[in-house]
Amino acid sequence: MEKTNLVIPTSPPCPFVGREKEAAQLEGLHAQRKHLLILGPAGAGKTALVNHLKDRLGLVVCPRSDCFGEICEGLEGQLGLSGEGRKLLQRKQRVRQALAACHRTVVFDGVGWTTPKVASFIESVSQRVPVWICARSEHPWDIGHIWPLLTRFSRVAVKPFSLAQTRALVTAAVAAGLVAGGAVELVAWFHRRSGGIPLVLSELLAEAATGKYDLGNA
């Protein structure tokens, strides 16, 4: 069968669908100024969830948290600071002071194995303002020296999509004109192929929007 011709030259981001429950949970815990550990496998949508709430809740988000250089670069611009011409220790101290003064929740995204110094910095920030940590695991051998601190953190799990959530996202993408209507007939295939991982699902929908798949032939 001949492939369906699509007129969409590019693929905008998929609509924010399927994480309404988690978003509401985070908003409620934010109102209580809780420390949070947001857990989920790679591509499950932890970053998308945080970005969805960033402006609404006034979050300060550090997109990468592996080392001090990345932490400072990720936060300085949001705090109105410049690290030009300053040593890393000075930058770290200025960032910590600015975070304490702004009274906003700080999100450390992409947290993996933390060194003692990075763990100490995050702990010092948590003593002043609420802290959210986005990670794939809370096991000490995965998350490193931040592990003892996590006894004070509430957990929010971001799990892979169910089939119903996958259907909701595909349907929303079709309604937004991001992909042809035939995609709805292939929801089960999209779900199996993506494993319920929203990032993979979004990539599959982007490929479908370029005509890579024959949406008229299940």
Side-chain angles (χ1 to χ4, degrees):
M1 181 179 292
E2 184 179 355
K3 289 189 177 182
T4 304
N5 291 322
L6 300 178
V7 297
I8 303 172
T10 59
S11 180
C14 283
F16 183 82
V17 174
R19 293 299 185 203
E20 295 81 3
K21 180 180 177 180
E22 291 85 350
Q25 185 179 5
L26 288 175
E27 288 192 65
L29 292 168
H30 176 268
Q32 301 174 45
R33 297 186 67 77
K34 294 282 190 179
H35 296 312
L36 299 181
L37 178 61
I38 303 173
L39 288 166
K46 301 181 294 296
T47 298
L49 188 56
V50 166
N51 288 337
H52 177 71
L53 296 171
K54 180 179 178 180
D55 293 337
R56 186 187 311 175
L57 301 182
L59 305 175
V60 179
V61 180
C62 180
R64 292 185 58 84
S65 309
D66 291 334
C67 64
F68 277 133
E70 292 179 344
I71 291 174
C72 289
E73 289 174 8
L75 295 176
E76 284 169 335
Q78 298 175 70
L79 298 170
L81 302 175
S82 172
E84 186 175 356
R86 296 180 183 272
K87 295 182 178 180
L88 188 57
L89 180 59
Q90 294 175 313
R91 295 170 65 191
K92 180 184 73 172
Q93 292 172 341
R94 293 174 76 233
V95 165
R96 182 166 47 202
Q97 293 169 356
L99 290 174
C102 75
H103 302 294
R104 293 158 62 187
T105 295
V106 183
V107 183
F108 292 96
D109 197 3
V111 175
W113 174 264
T114 52
T115 65
K117 290 184 178 180
V118 169
S120 177
F121 176 78
I122 295 176
E123 181 176 12
S124 69
V125 173
S126 73
Q127 293 171 352
R128 295 163 173 82
V129 294
V131 164
W132 294 3
I133 293 175
C134 297
R136 299 178 185 178
S137 169
E138 63 177 315
H139 296 304
W141 52 85
D142 290 325
I143 204 165
H145 293 267
I146 198 69
W147 181 75
L149 177 65
L150 300 181
T151 57
R152 299 194 284 114
F153 281 60
S154 300
R155 269 67 170 169
V156 174
V158 182
K159 300 178 181 180
F161 273 179
S162 65
L163 178 59
Q165 289 170 308
T166 297
R167 184 180 303 277
L169 180 57
V170 173
T171 302
V174 169
L178 303 182
V179 66
V184 176
E185 304 301 323
L186 301 178
V187 166
W189 180 85
F190 279 120
H191 185 68
R192 288 195 304 271
R193 188 72 178 266
S194 67
I197 298 298
L199 178 61
V200 179
L201 177 57
S202 297
E203 292 171 348
L204 289 172
L205 290 172
E207 290 177 345
T210 66
K212 182 175 181 178
Y213 306 118
D214 183 357
L215 300 181
N217 186 353

